Amino acid sequence: MYYLIGADQKEYGPVAADEVRAWIAEGRANGQTLARLEGGPWKPLSTLPEFAATLGAAPQPAPPVPLAQASRTGRAPETNGLAVAGLVMGILSTTIGLVCCGLVFNILGIIFSSVALSQIKRSQQTGRNLAIVGLVLSLLGLVFEIIKIVVFGAMGLLKEIMQRH
């Protein structure tokens, strides 16, 4: 039985040699993936003769998909849709939102990004960075919106005071 260190730096195993060969064929492991036999030292898979044929036949992809995130079909995890929506709302809140509909974009961006972060934490989906950027942009847009309300409110108050005198 073998133990492997995935691209996410977590240990996986014990697994049989056939499972390791399947991971190599799926691109989830490659010659640089660290592995060891039970009780043995950690070595790159390329140094273990039992995997030489599989490594030679398998195309060597750019870094393998982390073992924890790859599905049983070998596909990469999908990006959370709400993270993308939160990012779009964040971008809109700091651009178009400064002119009109700012509060709508800000609130939607904050909600979408927050829900996405929660979903990503509980699942194997990606998009955490998208959700964080969307949240930050939405919060910045909200701050700009508050400043805009305060400034224009103060200007209106000042205008009213000036007209009375």
Side-chain angles (χ1 to χ4, degrees):
M1 298 304 266
Y2 295 89
Y3 294 85
L4 281 78
I5 300 292
D8 58 359
Q9 302 306 311
K10 292 182 182 177
E11 185 176 326
Y12 296 90
V15 294
D18 289 338
E19 184 72 14
V20 175
R21 287 185 192 92
W23 288 351
I24 293 168
E26 293 169 359
R28 294 170 60 191
N30 62 29
Q32 291 78 37
T33 302
L34 293 178
R36 70 176 175 93
L37 272 164
E38 288 184 283
W42 291 101
K43 298 178 184 179
L45 278 175
S46 60
T47 64
L48 301 174
E50 56 267 42
F51 302 115
T54 307
L55 287 168
Q60 293 299 317
V65 175
L67 296 174
Q69 294 182 355
S71 66
R72 297 309 294 164
T73 62
R75 293 189 336 217
E78 63 182 57
T79 302
N80 184 289
L82 286 175
V84 175
L87 177 63
V88 170
M89 291 296 126
I91 291 169
L92 291 175
S93 74
T94 56
T95 55
I96 297 171
L98 294 176
V99 179
C100 74
C101 307
L103 284 175
V104 173
F105 294 136
N106 297 329
I107 291 169
L108 287 175
I110 291 168
I111 291 170
F112 291 163
S113 296
S114 299
V115 172
L117 285 171
S118 176
Q119 289 177 349
I120 290 166
K121 189 173 186 177
R122 289 179 283 137
S123 71
Q124 298 296 320
Q125 292 180 318
T126 61
R128 182 175 185 273
N129 292 340
L130 298 176
I132 290 171
V133 171
L135 185 60
V136 168
L137 289 175
S138 296
L139 290 170
L140 279 174
L142 185 60
V143 168
F144 290 142
E145 194 68 30
I146 291 169
I147 290 171
K148 186 170 75 173
I149 290 169
V150 169
V151 167
F152 285 119
M155 287 174 57
L157 185 60
L158 185 61
K159 182 178 178 182
E160 187 178 319
I161 290 172
M162 294 293 272
Q163 287 176 350
R164 287 185 184 173
H165 292 285

